[in-house]
Amino acid sequence: MCGILGYTGDRQASSILLAGLERLEYRGYDSAGIAILDNGNIKIAKNKGRLKVLEDRINAGEEVSGTCGIGHTRWATHGEPSDVNAHPLWSDDMAVVAVHNGIVENYREIRAMLAEHGYTFYSQTDTEAAVKLIDYHYKKEKTPLKAITQAIKEIDGSYCFVLLFRDFPGEVWGARKDLPLIAGQGKGESFLASDVSAILHDTRQVYYLDNMEIVQLKKGNVRFFDVEGYATHKEISEVTWDANAAEKGGFEHFMMKEIHEQARAVKDTFGAVYHSGKIDLTEKGLTDEAIRAVSQIYIIACGSAYHAGAVAQYVIEDLAKIPVRIEMASEFRYRDMPMDRNALAVIISQSGETADTLAAMRRAKENGIKTLAVVNVVGSTIAREADSVFYTMAGPEIAVATTKAYSAQLAACYAMAVKFAHVRGVIDDAECTRLIAEIQGLPEKIDEILDEKGSLEELAGRFVNARNAFYLGRNIDYAVAMEGSLKMKEISYLHSEAIAAGEMKHGPISLIERGMLVAGIMTQKGLYQKTASNMLEAKSRGGFLLVVSSRGCEYLKDDADFVFHVPETDEHFAASLAVIPLQLLGYYVAVARKLDVDKPRNLAKSVTVE
Ligand code: F6R
């Protein structure tokens, strides 16, 4: 996820772009850049690091003068954060310069096609392929509109671009597919932005671009075109939100915004390894030969990443029939256990900086074990030190309590599970195709669950004064219970415990009091009855039963106090759905308690101390 901007008018573009980028920095902050079109020249300033580094370098914009320009704040997906990979990117003769948000899925194919026409590449980004594809068509078609329409028909993925064409002074162009792009209309000036928050200080008159729509900005004049190049008409809208709410996409908290970004995070993470009908992990160091050679897997992580690993343990073991151990990084780093040399250590971390996880990874490496990091932050320490990296595509996560990064970690682990199962001959082609389709179906089902969030908000009101809660489940459902319980306790400060359902009667049951929340997760058909019995044991001691189960599960329908059904999916992937109502419940209880949801007490986003 990146922040992108365009401006044309009478004022100095650089200061407007820098101010707008500051408001977009929550979308990405590993590098920043601007390009200004002035007197037939395009001047570019960009670098790795926070926007402040760029601002200081160009003296708050004074060193790059001109009244038409584009800007970018980056969250790396393809190519590590570096000066070269920072946007804007340009065609070799600087005829076309662009910033980009999103992913060009077929960038390898585009690069290969362009290479045959003499193009060379200087960055590791997917963006450069797109810019040069537009340039390729521009050289033939001679107009920005024709070049863009032609190129976007050939680009797969979700994206938006904002572009300058050197020979079209005073003009900024844009196009979008699946990701937001907003045009703003001021007096004698116009704007483009990936998020309305970036331009709200300058104008509240905006147009929302439709998918595959192209926009042309001139001073105070905005025009739209469809993908065939025909002019379209759009109604202008007045934005009534305040700038603060706009940054959160209209949500009250970043956490809720990120909960709503999960479908996209899952789609993009899986999409990054799914090419031409197949899961391809070769870039992650997992060739078919390497996959066959793995004798066992250690998954090492902390907190929610550990919970994602706990789900993965069940999924990989069951699908690929390979032994998997889930290890807490803080314990693993001090254990002296015999490790199998042919094992693979999978290190899961959103930030890529967690001290215990990093130390545990180093320990695995010292033992000669190959390490694969599943990390969200490109260029983070764990990503740099691991033997190979599988980047999750969640984009920057601002709320301290993770939601979308956890979901993206699950998607990455599912991809590995299915690939391992297929390569090792446990499943055939048809089953592999079926499982892939199930994973691809998850984003839509996640959104379906979010449509029903109102009922959980009402339910949360009941627990404003609650003191304890239990989350029960077996197998994958136990792993989900751990994550649901953590979400509840860390943001609402309601003490909760996750218990493997069969363990409850070995002690914890003595804590159950009248009205205490006992949440049961039931997505694994073969275990419905077992978990239902444990839930009934809780009910007979006064527990308030919340059941989160797959549609079609009839167990406890008459005994539970509240049932939330999630759509059906292959049971291996049900965690991705069952976790959503649990995240929402934790969120709503915290809101009902008037707590600081995004910044819970005593917690930090990145735990870089032991
Ligand atoms: C909980 C949460 C933490 C992190 C843990 C590991 O919502 O976010 O439990 O999962 O601190 O952090 P990373 O994934 O950055 O290694």
Side-chain angles (χ1 to χ4, degrees):
M1 192 161 96
C2 303
I4 64 177
L5 271 181
Y7 171 79
T8 183
D10 290 322
R11 294 189 280 163
Q12 281 302 311
S14 55
S15 50
I16 291 167
L17 294 172
L18 290 173
L21 290 177
E22 206 175 309
R23 293 189 281 271
L24 288 181
E25 241 194 332
Y26 77 92
R27 297 177 70 93
Y29 40 74
D30 60 46
S31 39
I34 60 171
I36 306 292
L37 173 54
D38 186 37
N39 279 329
N41 269 320
I42 298 184
K43 295 173 267 186
I44 293 181
K46 61 173 190 163
N47 51 247
K48 177 181 165 183
R50 306 290 292 229
L51 182 66
K52 183 82 182 64
V53 180
L54 176 72
E55 268 173 345
D56 290 349
R57 255 191 57 218
I58 58 174
N59 199 10
E62 278 186 17
E63 288 176 20
V64 205
S65 61
T67 57
C68 173
I70 59 178
H72 191 263
T73 175
R74 182 169 187 243
W75 176 261
T77 57
H78 293 69
E80 60 176 19
S82 68
D83 291 353
V84 174
N85 290 334
H87 297 211
L89 291 130
W90 52 81
S91 62
D92 293 340
D93 59 359
M94 298 288 281
V96 186
V97 176
V99 291
H100 163 222
N101 173 31
I103 295 170
V104 176
E105 283 171 6
N106 56 339
Y107 76 99
R108 290 186 200 83
E109 291 85 343
I110 294 174
R111 272 184 182 231
M113 184 282 282
L114 292 173
E116 282 175 20
H117 290 86
Y119 281 83
T120 54
F121 296 89
Y122 54 85
S123 76
Q124 289 113 44
T125 63
D126 52 341
T127 308
E128 191 186 350
V131 175
K132 291 186 172 172
L133 180 67
I134 295 169
D135 178 68
Y136 169 76
H137 290 297
Y138 180 58
K139 297 279 180 311
K140 290 203 277 187
E141 305 285 358
K142 310 287 184 222
T143 77
L145 181 59
K146 283 189 181 160
I148 296 171
T149 52
Q150 193 55 43
I152 63 173
K153 285 182 195 162
E154 293 167 20
I155 294 173
D156 295 336
S158 37
Y159 51 78
C160 53
F161 296 102
V162 173
L163 302 113
L164 297 174
F165 289 81
R166 191 193 48 211
D167 301 327
F168 288 79
E171 294 187 15
V172 179
W173 289 79
R176 68 156 285 218
K177 183 183 165 217
D178 293 342
L179 292 176
L181 187 60
I182 292 133
Q185 172 95 64
K187 281 204 183 93
E189 57 188 3
S190 31
F191 307 81
L192 275 181
S194 46
D195 185 323
V196 80
S197 62
I199 56 173
L200 267 191
H201 292 259
D202 297 300
T203 181
R204 289 185 169 270
Q205 306 294 315
V206 303
Y207 300 95
Y208 295 95
L209 265 82
D210 288 323
N211 250 355
M212 303 294 277
E213 202 164 30
I214 294 121
V215 55
Q216 176 196 34
L217 297 189
K218 290 186 180 179
K219 285 184 188 180
N221 176 12
V222 188
R223 294 180 69 205
F224 301 92
F225 305 90
D226 68 16
V227 73
E228 300 307 331
Y230 294 112
T232 53
H233 174 73
K234 291 192 92 62
E235 293 298 327
I236 204 156
S237 313
E238 161 107 21
V239 180
T240 50
W241 305 339
D242 67 24
N244 197 19
E247 197 172 279
K248 295 179 187 134
F251 293 103
E252 204 182 328
H253 300 100
F254 278 112
M255 182 174 173
M256 193 49 132
K257 174 170 177 280
E258 288 160 5
I259 285 175
H260 281 78
E261 286 171 350
Q262 291 184 101
R264 188 199 47 74
V266 169
K267 180 170 177 271
D268 288 352
T269 301
F270 187 71
V273 293
Y274 177 74
H275 308 293
S276 323
K278 289 199 172 92
I279 297 169
D280 181 0
L281 301 178
T282 41
E283 274 186 8
K284 281 71 183 129
L286 293 175
T287 58
D288 288 3
E289 202 189 342
I291 289 173
R292 279 189 212 101
V294 173
S295 62
Q296 86 165 84
I297 297 175
Y298 301 104
I299 302 180
I300 304 167
C302 294
S304 291
Y306 172 87
H307 299 156
V311 173
Q313 176 186 33
Y314 291 109
V315 178
I316 300 173
E317 259 183 8
D318 195 56
L319 281 178
K321 307 295 177 214
I322 181 167
V324 185
R325 281 176 72 142
I326 170 76
E327 300 283 344
M328 275 173 204
S330 54
E331 289 293 309
F332 181 90
R333 63 182 291 189
Y334 295 118
R335 278 249 297 280
D336 202 4
M337 64 180 196
M339 281 190 243
D340 191 320
R341 283 284 178 141
N342 295 318
L344 171 71
V346 176
I347 318 297
I348 307 181
S349 174
Q350 185 284 129
S351 61
E353 302 293 350
T354 303
D356 282 324
T357 312
L358 177 61
M361 182 178 81
R362 287 178 178 157
R363 184 159 181 95
K365 287 186 89 170
E366 277 159 24
N367 280 275
I369 313 278
K370 219 167 114 182
T371 53
L372 167 69
V374 176
V375 167
N376 197 40
V377 179
V378 176
S380 54
T381 312
I382 292 176
R384 278 187 276 112
E385 291 194 17
D387 295 315
S388 52
V389 192
F390 187 154
Y391 282 117
T392 48
M393 298 287 177
E397 202 174 48
I398 308 295
V400 165
T402 184
T403 51
K404 62 175 181 171
Y406 168 87
S407 286
Q409 287 159 357
L410 289 184
C413 293
Y414 298 161
M416 281 194 271
V418 174
K419 183 70 182 175
F420 272 63
H422 193 220
V423 170
R424 293 165 76 97
V426 186
I427 56 170
D428 61 15
D429 290 354
E431 179 63 354
C432 183
T433 307
R434 186 189 72 78
L435 290 171
I436 287 173
E438 289 285 341
I439 298 170
Q440 289 173 322
L442 291 172
E444 207 179 310
K445 293 174 186 173
I446 290 172
D447 282 342
E448 213 181 296
I449 297 170
L450 291 175
D451 288 343
E452 288 172 34
K453 61 180 188 256
S455 63
L456 293 161
E457 186 172 9
E458 269 175 41
L459 177 69
R462 252 195 106 89
F463 303 111
V464 180
N465 297 313
R467 288 174 38 235
N468 293 299
F470 276 174
Y471 285 67
L472 307 185
R474 288 168 182 258
N475 194 292
I476 289 176
D477 292 334
Y478 170 49
V480 179
M482 289 199 272
E483 179 57 9
S485 168
L486 180 61
K487 287 286 91 82
M488 178 61 87
K489 78 178 110 187
E490 68 181 330
I491 55 171
S492 78
Y493 316 148
L494 193 171
H495 171 253
S496 78
E497 268 187 65
I499 301 166
E503 282 293 298
M504 192 180 61
K505 57 182 151 313
H506 296 289
I509 198 166
S510 64
L511 290 172
I512 296 180
E513 296 171 334
R514 182 142 307 279
M516 176 172 154
L517 169 63
V518 180
I521 325 304
M522 294 168 60
T523 67
Q524 307 295 303
K525 280 200 181 79
L527 297 168
Y528 281 168
Q529 199 182 2
K530 299 284 172 201
T531 304
S533 306
N534 302 129
M535 290 290 281
L536 288 173
E537 287 158 15
K539 179 159 179 103
S540 57
R541 280 145 187 98
F544 176 99
L545 298 198
L546 159 65
V547 172
V548 173
S549 55
S550 296
R551 222 170 260 158
C553 171
E554 295 278 301
Y555 283 88
L556 298 178
K557 72 176 184 349
D558 298 325
D559 295 294
D561 295 284
F562 193 97
V563 177
F564 190 97
H565 280 313
V566 296
E568 278 191 272
T569 182
D570 182 279
E571 288 178 18
H572 294 99
F573 313 132
S576 294
L577 304 182
V579 76
I580 310 290
L582 303 181
Q583 295 168 338
L584 288 165
L585 185 63
Y587 171 85
Y588 284 127
V589 172
V591 171
R593 289 180 165 202
K594 300 194 177 8
L595 296 171
D596 188 348
V597 176
D598 286 336
K599 293 197 195 81
R601 69 185 178 203
N602 307 338
L603 292 175
K605 186 70 186 158
S606 189
V607 187
T608 51
V609 290
E610 200 178 323

